[in-house]
Amino acid sequence: DGDVTIGGTVTSSTVDIASGATLTHDLQVGTDAVTVTGTGTLTGATLDTGDSLLKLNGVTVNDVTVSVASNENKGIETVTADAAITTLTLKEGTKFALSSQLTITNALTLNSYLIKRGAGILHTASTTDIEGAAAPGAIVVVEEGLWTQAADATGKITINANGDLQMDTGNT
């Protein structure tokens, strides 16, 4: 029920964080799927292999870093309850499989790819910048469901030279 700091390695495949609690740890998501559930807060998570799969269920994660490109059916997933990521740092491309809403609170810069799948909603609450000029081939693909941008977001969505946004038929 209280805040917890972990200095070592988390080996459990499921971490449950109680309402109002904060788990202070940079969770390293390796080749096994890790589910973070509850209504509390995790301070950080890093997807450090192509087979990393971070499943979020109701939780808020302050900082998520994708350091290696995600393989097929890997990346970030929402399970059943809405989840949030305050800051998402994409050093490489990733995939979202969303069955509920995932909110990204801070500005999002894409230098590679982001593929959104599933009926859930990707909601960005700040500036989204698809950096094709700095990284030719930067692309966002919305295959299923919705991508919404907060009405009061500063800067909205910017697609730079060589950047690309693809929406499959019937998606918004």
Short mmCIF file of all heavy atoms in Angstrom, two decimals, residues 1-29:
data_model
loop_
_atom_site.label_atom_id
_atom_site.label_comp_id
_atom_site.label_asym_id
_atom_site.label_seq_id
_atom_site.Cartn_x
_atom_site.Cartn_y
_atom_site.Cartn_z
N ASP A 1 0.81 -1.21 0.00
CA ASP A 1 0.00 0.00 0.00
C ASP A 1 0.84 1.26 0.00
O ASP A 1 0.37 2.31 -0.39
CB ASP A 1 -0.94 0.02 1.20
CG ASP A 1 -2.07 -0.99 1.02
OD1 ASP A 1 -2.50 -1.20 -0.12
OD2 ASP A 1 -2.51 -1.55 2.03
N GLY A 2 2.09 1.19 0.47
CA GLY A 2 2.97 2.35 0.48
C GLY A 2 3.88 2.34 -0.72
O GLY A 2 3.84 1.46 -1.57
N ASP A 3 4.72 3.37 -0.83
CA ASP A 3 5.68 3.45 -1.92
C ASP A 3 6.82 2.46 -1.68
O ASP A 3 7.20 2.20 -0.54
CB ASP A 3 6.24 4.87 -2.02
CG ASP A 3 5.17 5.87 -2.42
OD1 ASP A 3 4.09 5.46 -2.87
OD2 ASP A 3 5.42 7.08 -2.30
N VAL A 4 7.36 1.90 -2.79
CA VAL A 4 8.42 0.91 -2.70
C VAL A 4 9.51 1.28 -3.69
O VAL A 4 9.24 1.70 -4.81
CB VAL A 4 7.88 -0.51 -3.05
CG1 VAL A 4 9.00 -1.53 -3.08
CG2 VAL A 4 6.80 -0.92 -2.07
N THR A 5 10.77 1.11 -3.26
CA THR A 5 11.91 1.29 -4.16
C THR A 5 12.62 -0.05 -4.28
O THR A 5 12.90 -0.71 -3.28
CB THR A 5 12.90 2.34 -3.59
OG1 THR A 5 12.21 3.58 -3.46
CG2 THR A 5 14.10 2.52 -4.51
N ILE A 6 12.88 -0.46 -5.53
CA ILE A 6 13.58 -1.71 -5.79
C ILE A 6 14.88 -1.37 -6.50
O ILE A 6 14.88 -0.70 -7.53
CB ILE A 6 12.74 -2.67 -6.65
CG1 ILE A 6 11.46 -3.06 -5.91
CG2 ILE A 6 13.55 -3.91 -7.02
CD1 ILE A 6 10.53 -3.93 -6.71
N GLY A 7 16.00 -1.85 -5.95
CA GLY A 7 17.29 -1.57 -6.55
C GLY A 7 17.80 -2.71 -7.41
O GLY A 7 18.71 -2.55 -8.19
N GLY A 8 17.20 -3.88 -7.29
CA GLY A 8 17.66 -5.06 -8.02
C GLY A 8 16.82 -5.33 -9.23
O GLY A 8 16.12 -4.48 -9.75
N THR A 9 16.85 -6.59 -9.67
CA THR A 9 16.12 -7.03 -10.85
C THR A 9 14.76 -7.60 -10.45
O THR A 9 14.67 -8.39 -9.51
CB THR A 9 16.93 -8.12 -11.58
OG1 THR A 9 18.19 -7.57 -11.94
CG2 THR A 9 16.21 -8.59 -12.84
N VAL A 10 13.73 -7.20 -11.16
CA VAL A 10 12.40 -7.78 -10.95
C VAL A 10 12.30 -9.00 -11.85
O VAL A 10 12.48 -8.90 -13.06
CB VAL A 10 11.29 -6.75 -11.29
CG1 VAL A 10 9.92 -7.40 -11.20
CG2 VAL A 10 11.38 -5.56 -10.34
N THR A 11 12.02 -10.16 -11.26
CA THR A 11 11.96 -11.38 -12.06
C THR A 11 10.54 -11.88 -12.27
O THR A 11 10.31 -12.82 -13.01
CB THR A 11 12.78 -12.50 -11.41
OG1 THR A 11 12.29 -12.72 -10.08
CG2 THR A 11 14.26 -12.12 -11.36
N SER A 12 9.56 -11.25 -11.62
CA SER A 12 8.17 -11.65 -11.77
C SER A 12 7.64 -11.22 -13.12
O SER A 12 8.03 -10.19 -13.66
CB SER A 12 7.33 -11.02 -10.66
OG SER A 12 5.96 -11.30 -10.87
N SER A 13 6.73 -12.01 -13.67
CA SER A 13 6.13 -11.63 -14.95
C SER A 13 4.94 -10.69 -14.75
O SER A 13 4.44 -10.12 -15.70
CB SER A 13 5.69 -12.87 -15.72
OG SER A 13 4.73 -13.59 -14.97
N THR A 14 4.49 -10.51 -13.49
CA THR A 14 3.40 -9.59 -13.19
C THR A 14 3.77 -8.74 -11.99
O THR A 14 4.22 -9.26 -10.96
CB THR A 14 2.09 -10.34 -12.89
OG1 THR A 14 1.74 -11.14 -14.02
CG2 THR A 14 0.96 -9.37 -12.60
N VAL A 15 3.58 -7.43 -12.12
CA VAL A 15 3.81 -6.50 -11.03
C VAL A 15 2.50 -5.78 -10.79
O VAL A 15 1.94 -5.19 -11.72
CB VAL A 15 4.93 -5.48 -11.38
CG1 VAL A 15 5.11 -4.48 -10.26
CG2 VAL A 15 6.23 -6.21 -11.70
N ASP A 16 1.99 -5.82 -9.56
CA ASP A 16 0.72 -5.19 -9.21
C ASP A 16 1.01 -4.00 -8.29
O ASP A 16 1.59 -4.18 -7.21
CB ASP A 16 -0.20 -6.20 -8.51
CG ASP A 16 -1.62 -5.69 -8.33
OD1 ASP A 16 -1.89 -4.51 -8.63
OD2 ASP A 16 -2.46 -6.48 -7.88
N ILE A 17 0.60 -2.80 -8.71
CA ILE A 17 0.87 -1.58 -7.94
C ILE A 17 -0.46 -1.02 -7.44
O ILE A 17 -1.33 -0.68 -8.23
CB ILE A 17 1.62 -0.54 -8.78
CG1 ILE A 17 2.91 -1.16 -9.37
CG2 ILE A 17 1.95 0.69 -7.94
CD1 ILE A 17 3.62 -0.29 -10.37
N ALA A 18 -0.59 -0.94 -6.12
CA ALA A 18 -1.84 -0.51 -5.50
C ALA A 18 -2.14 0.96 -5.79
O ALA A 18 -1.24 1.77 -6.09
CB ALA A 18 -1.77 -0.73 -3.99
N SER A 19 -3.40 1.31 -5.67
CA SER A 19 -3.86 2.69 -5.86
C SER A 19 -3.10 3.64 -4.95
O SER A 19 -2.95 3.38 -3.75
CB SER A 19 -5.36 2.77 -5.56
OG SER A 19 -5.80 4.10 -5.67
N GLY A 20 -2.58 4.71 -5.52
CA GLY A 20 -1.87 5.72 -4.75
C GLY A 20 -0.42 5.37 -4.46
O GLY A 20 0.33 6.20 -3.95
N ALA A 21 0.01 4.16 -4.77
CA ALA A 21 1.38 3.72 -4.48
C ALA A 21 2.28 3.98 -5.69
O ALA A 21 1.83 4.02 -6.83
CB ALA A 21 1.40 2.24 -4.13
N THR A 22 3.57 4.14 -5.42
CA THR A 22 4.58 4.32 -6.47
C THR A 22 5.66 3.26 -6.29
O THR A 22 6.19 3.09 -5.20
CB THR A 22 5.22 5.71 -6.39
OG1 THR A 22 4.20 6.69 -6.60
CG2 THR A 22 6.31 5.88 -7.44
N LEU A 23 5.97 2.56 -7.37
CA LEU A 23 7.08 1.62 -7.39
C LEU A 23 8.23 2.32 -8.09
O LEU A 23 8.14 2.63 -9.29
CB LEU A 23 6.71 0.33 -8.13
CG LEU A 23 7.83 -0.68 -8.35
CD1 LEU A 23 8.43 -1.14 -7.02
CD2 LEU A 23 7.34 -1.86 -9.16
N THR A 24 9.29 2.61 -7.34
CA THR A 24 10.46 3.30 -7.89
C THR A 24 11.44 2.24 -8.40
O THR A 24 12.10 1.57 -7.60
CB THR A 24 11.12 4.20 -6.83
OG1 THR A 24 10.14 5.11 -6.35
CG2 THR A 24 12.29 4.96 -7.42
N HIS A 25 11.48 2.09 -9.71
CA HIS A 25 12.33 1.08 -10.32
C HIS A 25 12.33 1.29 -11.82
O HIS A 25 11.31 1.63 -12.41
CB HIS A 25 11.81 -0.33 -10.01
CG HIS A 25 12.68 -1.43 -10.52
ND1 HIS A 25 13.92 -1.71 -9.98
CD2 HIS A 25 12.51 -2.32 -11.52
CE1 HIS A 25 14.46 -2.74 -10.63
NE2 HIS A 25 13.62 -3.12 -11.57
N ASP A 26 13.49 1.10 -12.48
CA ASP A 26 13.53 1.09 -13.93
C ASP A 26 13.42 -0.37 -14.34
O ASP A 26 14.40 -1.11 -14.36
CB ASP A 26 14.81 1.72 -14.47
CG ASP A 26 14.83 1.75 -16.00
OD1 ASP A 26 13.75 1.60 -16.62
OD2 ASP A 26 15.91 1.91 -16.57
N LEU A 27 12.20 -0.79 -14.63
CA LEU A 27 11.91 -2.18 -14.97
C LEU A 27 12.50 -2.50 -16.34
O LEU A 27 12.14 -1.88 -17.34
CB LEU A 27 10.39 -2.37 -14.98
CG LEU A 27 9.85 -3.76 -15.26
CD1 LEU A 27 10.22 -4.70 -14.12
CD2 LEU A 27 8.33 -3.68 -15.42
N GLN A 28 13.41 -3.45 -16.39
CA GLN A 28 14.02 -3.88 -17.64
C GLN A 28 13.19 -5.03 -18.20
O GLN A 28 13.13 -6.10 -17.61
CB GLN A 28 15.47 -4.34 -17.41
CG GLN A 28 16.37 -3.27 -16.81
CD GLN A 28 16.55 -2.08 -17.73
OE1 GLN A 28 16.90 -2.21 -18.89
NE2 GLN A 28 16.29 -0.90 -17.21
N VAL A 29 12.53 -4.79 -19.32
CA VAL A 29 11.67 -5.80 -19.93
C VAL A 29 12.50 -6.52 -20.98
O VAL A 29 12.78 -5.98 -22.05
CB VAL A 29 10.41 -5.16 -20.57
CG1 VAL A 29 9.50 -6.23 -21.15
CG2 VAL A 29 9.68 -4.31 -19.54
#
